[in-house]
Amino acid sequence: MFEWFNRHKKTVMTYTLWLVIPSFIILYGYGECASPTLVRWVVKVNGDRIQEYAYQNRLDAYRQNMQRNQSLQSLSDEEISRRVLQDLIQSKLVEQKAGEWGIGTTDEEVRNAIRQQQYFKDENGNFSVQRFEAVLYNNKIPQEAYVQDQRNALTKAKVGAVVQHTFFDAATEKERGDKRENEKVKVEYLAFEPSSYVDDVTPTEEQLNQYFEENQEKYKVPEQRRIAYAKFYPKSYIKDVTSVATRVEYFFNQHRQEFEIPEKVVIQHVLYSANDFTDQASATEEEIQQQFSENSAKYMKPEQIKVRFIAEPLVALANTQDVTQEAIESYYEKNLFRYEHKEQAKARHILLRVTDGLTAEETDAIKNRALEIRTEIEQGLPFSEAAEKYSADTGSAIKGGDLGYFGRGLMDPPFEKAAFELPLGQISDPIKTQYGYHLIRVEDRQEEGTDPLEDVADEIRQTLQKQLAVNQFRALGNSVESLTDLQDQYAVQTTDFFERNVKELPGIPTKDLQTFSRMAFMKTPDKTIQIAGNIMMENLYLIESIDRLETRPLTLEEARETVIEDVKEKNARELALQASEEDAALVKGATGATLEQAASARGLKVTTLQPFGREDRYIPELGSDPTEIINTAFTLTEDEIAGPIETRKGQNIIRLVSREPARLPELVEVQTEVERAYVKDQSERMARNQANLFADELFSKKAALEVEAASQGIEWGTTELFRAGGAIPGLGMKRELNQEAFKLEAIGSVSTREVESRMQGYGRDPSTMPIDAYYIAQLLEIKEPYLPDLAEAREDVERDLKLKLAEAYAERYANEALQAIQSALAANGPIDATRSVDLSLYEDTGSDKQPLGGKGASYKGPYDITGNGQVQGIGMAYPVAKTALAMKPGQISNPIKNYRMRMNEDKERVQDAMTGVYIIQVLEKIEPDAESKSQFSMQKYFERSAQSLAFNAWIEEVSAASKIEYNQEYFHPEEDEENMQEEETAASE
């Protein structure tokens, strides 16, 4: 497979995929003195987690793209979520396969690819570092994250090229792709998918045996291994690091270059914002009409619903529930982890911020102010009131400075040292961290341990009572078909029409509003009453829909006020631009006018900014996207003026005041940062050394890892069997540990060195992430590849066979639907010039009403189809695309069968399972614009390759063979809560 890749490596690496630019969010916890908190996972791909923040980042980026692309704006939240998850899952699968095949991308390849991208070239066609930085900054992308994304894209391109060549000659596909490049039609279709009919299929034992015999190789189990491991956490050694001044100073001298203070500039600026010119802006009727006409998709009346409901106070119903002592003890034993805690401190703090660029005198003044505040507290001012009054950490200030309980490793080292050593109730001296000076008061400390049952029994009793109450209420909701059945027992209330994510609703407490709204809009087949309730809510609700208004465009009169405001804002921005251009010309000219005079004449002011560097990503007065201002400022000479320059806040005229050259700092200037780096470096060294010492002991003693680790109090564990390149049960996707396990040659052999495991960060170069732990592994078992018997593979075989047998049902009901459509056409004639029949009427909605067409039909579209074979809602469907491109508007196709493709043992591409049977109607032919006709490059070819028939068939095969696990607690928290309640209720009984 890889001989072709090696021969063509130079050609492949001449080109790169252009990625959709993502957005990144930095999450903080524990006020402004804490490290980023852990987040939940959303989906596991072969045990490798995709974290919540990665999903949310991609979701935000997709929604931003929707705002720019009107063709996407009709998508539902469910469809958006599905697309984003599918994209993340496929990316993860490609990443895993690249690792399995040994395909990677070097730093040099990444640099060359970035330098070739047109987005970063200047007017002369040369790569521009300034333009590179500006583009990334304007899109809020850290450079290291973008570099890692490009590395991933190049690796994906290599994987795509290998797969492409494996299936069929890439040059032939390129030629076919060229011919199909500009073909496009808009279609709608009915889909009949085998998965809709599996409940109608009951395979016989004979069929199962025959199918398994014919496809046994498909279920072959590869080599598996099992290991024992010892785990060494750097964070466990933090408390053992002694930050002796001489050691920190030595560390600083050895790494001083890493703490270099970059070159900075000081500028003045005048901001011309739209707000400054709103009073001068007007809106003519012609402008109003034009704004509404050109942006009609923006002015929509969202979906609304009107419901009636009953509310049951949760606490009152919970108080009627009986919970036995046995149930409490059982819950405690099953959930013991909830009551285990590491060493913790509970503290309040007051933060006085110290920003970059302050002089030593200004910094000392802030420290003295902290001392003054401490004196006020000692003289009687409550600490909580002082925090509300003085603290710059707004998140904790509103709570009187309360940070709650926190463990070691979360706070800055100086803050943590005080929190775990300061006597209870005593106020600290001003403590310096990277955020500024803190006054800290420790209110409580807890040793590592487990809360005894008697301390948490009341809490458990209340939890179980609430769970029983929710279960009782759910049973009530499931027992009735309409709230009319309960109107003698409860007060039935009725809402007015309201929208999703409503901010206020009469009769619904704020804490319940989100869940109430979500359940009110939920559509469940054969169910008229929705149940909204969990143990965190104030009330439990039964909700019945009365009426629903679908999303619709607003008329101009309905949207007039909003349109007028939009026109005025647009005109105000134009007035701001005009004024800034006039003033810039004035102060740059020979008139002698100063920037202060020009600003004063318009009621504006000149502001002097704090010093900033080239790499700064946020300047308070300029906002979050001042890249062009920053880049321009570093090209100016002293007192030179530039502008206007646009930022999100408006137009800016700037003047360079002074420069501060780059320099190496003194230790006192970066003391906190150096101490943090020193502690991290030393704790990692200690953990690594202990791991290697342990490995040496195992090797010399020929001892069992479990026994030796247990005797030394080292955390250890054993795994279940796992495959090469896959997740390790109980540990997740640990690639380095997996690779080490498959390097070990004999049972009992031990890894010769520590295996490093780093924390994960989406879009981040793994080598830059903090080390989570070091592992030492010992091989316990090797299980050779084998063909399983039917009993072992039965679940997978039965699933696949049911889908295979269900294909006949899909064909049958597709033919029934076509007959119904043809009958309707014969009776009624065409609807319009491009549409023969409304296919959406033939969708099987799952209601009691008999569908006009065949059972199980789902309506899709309208979608655009091009010649590359990719069809929205299906995936790779070349027969569907080919048929659609050959049809005329208004024509309806015969049923079209589409199949996935896979590789057989001989590495040949063969037909696999059916995706479905489809009836399509072409709505219109879409003529390509001149740009798309002429635009073709190897870059576009790689994009097509990634979506080609071969690649998509391959990725579908890989996906089908992979274990995809969704975090139900994340997507359906109320279902998870319900399941937990039922399990625990059963236990109590």
Side-chain angles (χ1 to χ4, degrees):
M1 176 184 291
F2 300 107
E3 290 180 2
W4 173 87
F5 177 78
N6 291 328
R7 290 198 306 271
H8 296 81
K9 183 177 180 181
K10 183 175 180 181
T11 302
V12 170
M13 288 315 307
T14 304
Y15 310 100
T16 180
L17 290 171
W18 175 250
L19 295 180
V20 176
I21 296 177
S23 59
F24 295 87
I25 300 173
I26 299 176
L27 305 174
Y28 291 93
Y30 289 108
E32 297 190 35
C33 59
S35 302
T37 57
L38 297 176
V39 292
R40 294 180 294 174
W41 61 276
V42 175
V43 61
K44 291 182 186 177
V45 183
N46 295 320
D48 199 352
R49 295 185 176 190
I50 295 173
Q51 302 288 12
E52 176 186 18
Y53 58 82
Y55 168 68
Q56 289 296 340
N57 288 345
R58 190 68 62 89
L59 204 60
D60 291 342
Y62 198 100
R63 285 171 174 155
Q64 291 172 12
N65 187 41
M66 285 181 61
Q67 294 174 1
R68 298 189 293 268
N69 189 340
Q70 293 187 4
S71 66
L72 296 174
Q73 291 180 357
S74 61
L75 296 179
S76 66
D77 289 344
E78 291 80 5
E79 175 65 14
I80 295 169
S81 178
R82 186 192 67 78
R83 291 187 182 192
V84 168
L85 282 171
Q86 183 181 43
D87 181 36
L88 289 170
I89 290 169
Q90 288 195 359
S91 295
K92 184 63 70 176
L93 288 170
V94 169
E95 175 188 335
Q96 292 170 354
K97 279 297 178 183
E100 180 182 326
W101 291 348
I103 295 177
T105 300
T106 67
D107 292 344
E108 184 64 27
E109 289 171 339
V110 175
R111 281 194 294 270
N112 290 338
I114 291 176
R115 294 182 71 87
Q116 292 177 25
Q117 293 173 7
Q118 293 296 325
Y119 305 92
F120 307 135
K121 291 185 178 180
D122 58 21
E123 296 77 8
N124 299 321
N126 299 318
F127 176 76
S128 166
V129 174
Q130 291 78 16
R131 186 168 179 80
F132 171 73
E133 293 175 345
V135 170
L136 295 191
Y137 191 82
N138 283 333
N139 289 279
K140 303 183 185 66
I141 304 176
Q143 288 186 25
E144 66 275 11
Y146 182 75
V147 169
Q148 183 61 31
D149 274 352
Q150 291 301 295
R151 188 185 305 278
N152 294 341
L154 287 167
T155 303
K156 181 177 180 180
K158 292 179 182 181
V159 172
V162 171
V163 173
Q164 186 85 357
H165 174 74
T166 303
F167 285 153
F168 50 82
D169 186 76
T172 303
E173 172 61 11
K174 174 182 179 299
E175 182 180 351
R176 280 204 298 269
D178 283 342
K179 293 178 180 178
R180 300 195 304 264
E181 176 71 16
N182 297 314
E183 295 182 273
K184 184 184 290 187
V185 292
K186 187 179 290 294
V187 306
E188 59 182 359
Y189 63 87
L190 289 175
F192 300 82
E193 298 167 339
S195 57
S196 300
Y197 309 104
V198 291
D199 291 341
D200 297 335
V201 177
T202 306
T204 65
E205 197 65 26
E206 182 180 353
Q207 288 174 313
L208 279 170
N209 279 289
Q210 181 180 349
Y211 184 82
F212 179 66
E213 288 292 329
E214 294 172 353
N215 298 274
Q216 192 172 11
E217 191 66 30
K218 181 178 177 181
Y219 304 99
K220 183 176 182 178
V221 179
E223 178 186 346
Q224 299 173 85
R225 295 195 171 197
R226 188 168 65 87
I227 62 171
Y229 62 87
K231 193 173 185 179
F232 300 82
Y233 296 96
K235 65 181 181 181
S236 299
Y237 296 88
I238 290 177
K239 62 181 181 298
D240 299 326
V241 178
T242 51
S243 300
V244 180
T246 54
R247 295 185 181 180
V248 172
E249 184 174 0
Y250 177 80
F251 178 82
F252 172 67
N253 290 332
Q254 294 294 311
H255 300 83
R256 192 175 183 185
Q257 198 70 33
E258 299 172 16
F259 301 97
E260 180 185 49
I261 296 176
E263 178 187 12
K264 294 188 177 184
V265 295
V266 177
I267 68 168
Q268 294 175 324
H269 89 125
V270 180
L271 173 65
Y272 297 76
S273 74
N275 293 336
D276 297 321
F277 296 86
T278 301
D279 294 341
Q280 303 173 38
S282 60
T284 66
E285 185 61 31
E286 182 180 357
E287 289 174 323
I288 294 170
Q289 295 278 356
Q290 183 178 0
Q291 170 71 15
F292 182 75
S293 174
E294 294 177 354
N295 301 276
S296 57
K298 178 180 178 181
Y299 305 109
M300 302 292 291
K301 183 74 171 177
E303 180 185 16
Q304 293 184 307
I305 195 170
K306 184 177 184 179
V307 302
R308 56 179 181 170
F309 68 93
I310 62 173
E312 173 74 67
L314 174 59
V315 173
L317 184 59
N319 288 338
T320 66
Q321 309 297 320
D322 292 327
V323 176
T324 65
Q325 182 64 24
E326 291 76 14
I328 293 173
E329 293 173 358
S330 174
Y331 183 93
Y332 179 76
E333 291 298 328
K334 289 183 178 179
N335 297 273
L336 198 60
F337 67 93
R338 298 174 186 261
Y339 308 106
E340 295 173 348
H341 53 78
K342 301 291 184 182
E343 182 184 9
Q344 291 183 311
K346 185 178 189 293
R348 295 179 185 268
H349 84 135
I350 297 169
L351 169 66
L352 300 185
R353 193 182 302 282
V354 175
T355 57
D356 292 339
L358 295 184
T359 64
E361 291 77 11
E362 290 170 328
T363 302
D364 286 341
I366 294 173
K367 181 178 181 179
N368 290 333
R369 179 61 184 135
L371 290 170
E372 293 172 2
I373 294 172
R374 189 179 72 167
T375 300
E376 286 188 55
I377 297 171
E378 290 171 343
Q379 292 176 350
L381 177 65
F383 192 100
S384 58
E385 293 183 17
E388 292 180 28
K389 185 176 181 180
Y390 298 119
S391 183
D393 180 3
T394 55
S396 66
I398 60 175
K399 298 181 290 184
D402 188 8
L403 296 172
Y405 283 97
F406 52 87
R408 291 187 181 272
L410 289 172
M411 303 301 183
D412 267 21
F415 192 103
E416 179 180 295
K417 188 174 186 297
F420 285 93
E421 295 180 5
L422 196 68
L424 297 184
Q426 181 176 314
I427 301 173
S428 71
D429 291 330
I431 303 293
K432 181 72 163 56
T433 72
Q434 61 175 318
Y435 302 102
Y437 283 104
H438 305 259
L439 293 177
I440 304 170
R441 187 179 74 188
V442 182
E443 299 190 335
D444 189 24
R445 270 194 288 270
Q446 293 181 352
E447 298 297 326
E448 182 175 359
T450 303
D451 295 330
L453 175 60
E454 54 267 25
D455 289 354
V456 295
D458 287 342
E459 175 190 333
I460 294 175
R461 178 179 289 102
Q462 292 172 12
T463 298
L464 292 177
Q465 284 180 317
K466 289 180 179 179
Q467 290 172 352
L468 291 171
V470 171
N471 289 344
Q472 178 181 326
F473 194 74
R474 286 181 179 275
L476 173 66
N478 291 325
S479 69
V480 296
E481 296 184 358
S482 170
L483 293 188
T484 305
D485 301 341
L486 300 173
Q487 61 186 1
D488 293 337
Q489 301 171 245
Y490 293 91
V492 180
Q493 304 178 59
T494 302
T495 69
D496 290 330
F497 281 101
F498 62 92
E499 303 169 4
R500 295 179 187 267
N501 302 319
V502 61
K503 302 299 182 184
E504 186 178 355
L505 200 60
I508 309 298
T510 303
K511 67 181 297 186
D512 295 353
L513 196 54
Q514 184 177 1
T515 302
F516 182 92
S517 174
R518 179 164 53 83
M519 297 306 298
F521 277 90
M522 183 171 288
K523 296 179 180 178
T524 306
D526 304 323
K527 188 174 181 181
T528 59
I529 294 179
Q530 301 296 338
I531 304 168
N534 57 58
I535 63 172
M536 303 304 294
M537 296 177 67
E538 186 171 325
N539 297 321
L540 309 175
Y541 303 90
L542 299 182
I543 308 169
E544 186 174 16
S545 175
I546 298 175
D547 198 2
R548 188 185 294 260
L549 301 176
E550 300 297 334
T551 302
R552 66 171 178 83
L554 293 170
T555 65
L556 175 56
E557 293 313 309
E558 289 175 317
R560 177 170 288 274
E561 289 187 12
T562 305
V563 176
I564 290 173
E565 290 301 316
D566 289 346
V567 172
K568 285 185 175 182
E569 182 184 355
K570 177 182 177 182
N571 290 343
R573 288 198 303 269
E574 292 175 355
L575 289 172
L577 174 60
Q578 180 182 341
S580 64
E581 289 174 338
E582 292 173 356
D583 289 355
L586 183 66
V587 297
K588 291 177 185 178
T591 61
T594 66
L595 187 59
E596 286 78 7
Q597 290 171 339
S600 178
R602 297 189 187 274
L604 305 176
K605 64 178 181 178
V606 179
T607 303
T608 302
L609 307 185
Q610 293 290 339
F612 58 81
R614 293 178 185 271
E615 304 300 323
D616 285 351
R617 291 293 177 260
Y618 176 78
I619 299 174
E621 296 85 354
L622 301 180
S624 59
D625 58 349
T627 307
E628 189 175 353
I629 289 183
I630 293 175
N631 291 340
T632 302
F634 279 90
T635 67
L636 300 179
T637 58
E638 194 167 316
D639 289 329
E640 186 178 357
I641 289 175
I645 302 172
E646 185 175 9
T647 66
R648 290 186 178 181
K649 291 190 174 185
Q651 302 295 331
N652 299 264
I653 298 176
I654 68 172
R655 175 170 61 201
L656 181 65
V657 176
S658 63
R659 289 177 180 270
E660 298 177 4
R663 62 184 176 84
L664 295 178
E666 297 302 322
L667 177 57
V668 67
E669 298 177 86
V670 288
Q671 181 83 30
T672 300
E673 187 178 351
V674 173
E675 288 182 358
R676 187 185 309 112
Y678 171 76
V679 169
K680 175 178 177 291
D681 177 79
Q682 292 300 304
S683 61
E684 288 177 357
R685 285 173 182 268
M686 290 178 179
R688 184 168 59 250
N689 290 339
Q690 287 299 314
N692 285 317
L693 285 173
F694 181 72
D696 291 342
E697 289 181 18
L698 288 181
F699 183 78
S700 61
K701 294 180 179 179
K702 306 298 182 185
L705 184 146
E706 309 99 293
V707 176
E708 197 66 27
S711 68
Q712 297 185 32
I714 297 170
E715 181 176 333
W716 65 277
T718 59
T719 71
E720 299 297 326
L721 288 165
F722 57 88
R723 304 177 181 185
I728 300 177
L731 295 177
M733 188 59 73
K734 301 290 183 184
R735 290 184 180 82
E736 294 80 6
L737 187 58
N738 184 294
Q739 291 170 3
E740 183 69 17
F742 279 84
K743 289 179 183 177
L744 299 176
E745 296 181 355
I747 303 299
S749 56
V750 178
S751 50
T752 56
R753 56 178 295 277
E754 84 286 347
V755 179
E756 184 180 279
S757 173
R758 292 182 179 269
M759 296 179 182
Q760 296 183 0
Y762 175 71
R764 297 278 300 276
D765 180 354
S767 65
T768 67
M769 296 299 292
I771 293 172
D772 171 54
Y774 295 101
Y775 289 89
I776 298 298
Q778 185 175 56
L779 185 60
L780 298 181
E781 180 182 354
I782 299 176
K783 189 170 185 179
E784 299 296 336
Y786 68 96
L787 290 174
D789 57 23
L790 177 58
E792 183 177 347
R794 187 180 187 89
E795 184 178 341
D796 292 337
V797 174
E798 189 168 355
R799 177 202 63 207
D800 294 343
L801 178 55
K802 280 188 172 184
L803 285 170
K804 185 67 177 176
L805 296 176
E807 292 175 4
Y809 286 83
E811 292 184 58
R812 168 188 164 187
Y813 289 119
N815 285 317
E816 285 185 10
L818 181 63
Q819 292 176 7
I821 292 169
Q822 290 173 338
S823 299
L825 285 171
N828 302 318
I831 294 177
D832 56 42
T834 61
R835 186 191 296 265
S836 295
V837 66
D838 184 355
L839 288 187
S840 66
L841 298 176
Y842 293 81
E843 180 175 27
D844 186 350
T845 62
S847 64
D848 294 335
K849 182 180 178 182
Q850 185 69 22
L852 295 177
K855 174 185 174 183
S858 58
Y859 171 79
K860 310 284 186 179
Y863 296 141
D864 290 346
I865 292 181
T866 62
N868 66 4
Q870 191 75 16
V871 179
Q872 194 170 345
I874 303 176
M876 182 50 59
Y878 192 71
V880 175
K882 183 178 179 180
T883 302
L885 292 168
M887 293 168 59
K888 297 178 181 179
Q891 287 186 321
I892 293 177
S893 73
N894 289 323
I896 306 166
K897 292 185 284 186
N898 187 71
Y899 295 87
R900 295 188 182 93
M901 309 302 290
R902 66 177 177 87
M903 297 286 290
N904 64 13
E905 295 179 51
D906 300 323
K907 303 300 180 183
E908 296 173 335
R909 187 168 145 270
V910 296
Q911 181 175 289
D912 197 13
M914 176 191 284
T915 65
V917 183
Y918 308 93
I919 298 174
I920 64 174
Q921 178 171 220
V922 175
L923 301 178
E924 62 176 305
K925 294 275 188 179
I926 301 175
E927 288 296 323
D929 55 33
E931 180 181 358
S932 64
K933 286 181 180 179
S934 62
Q935 186 182 31
F936 181 78
S937 63
M938 279 299 290
Q939 176 178 313
K940 294 292 291 183
Y941 168 53
F942 265 131
E943 291 175 353
R944 264 206 315 276
S945 295
Q947 297 179 358
S948 68
L949 177 61
F951 186 87
N952 280 272
W954 174 79
I955 198 68
E956 287 180 2
E957 178 188 6
V958 172
S959 180
S962 299
K963 183 178 180 181
I964 313 296
E965 180 183 353
Y966 295 90
N967 186 349
Q968 296 302 325
E969 184 178 354
Y970 178 81
F971 288 104
H972 304 290
E974 71 286 346
E975 293 181 8
D976 187 75
E977 182 70 40
E978 180 181 355
N979 293 336
M980 185 177 71
Q981 293 163 6
E982 291 175 354
E983 291 174 3
E984 290 167 349
T985 301
S988 68
E989 294 171 352

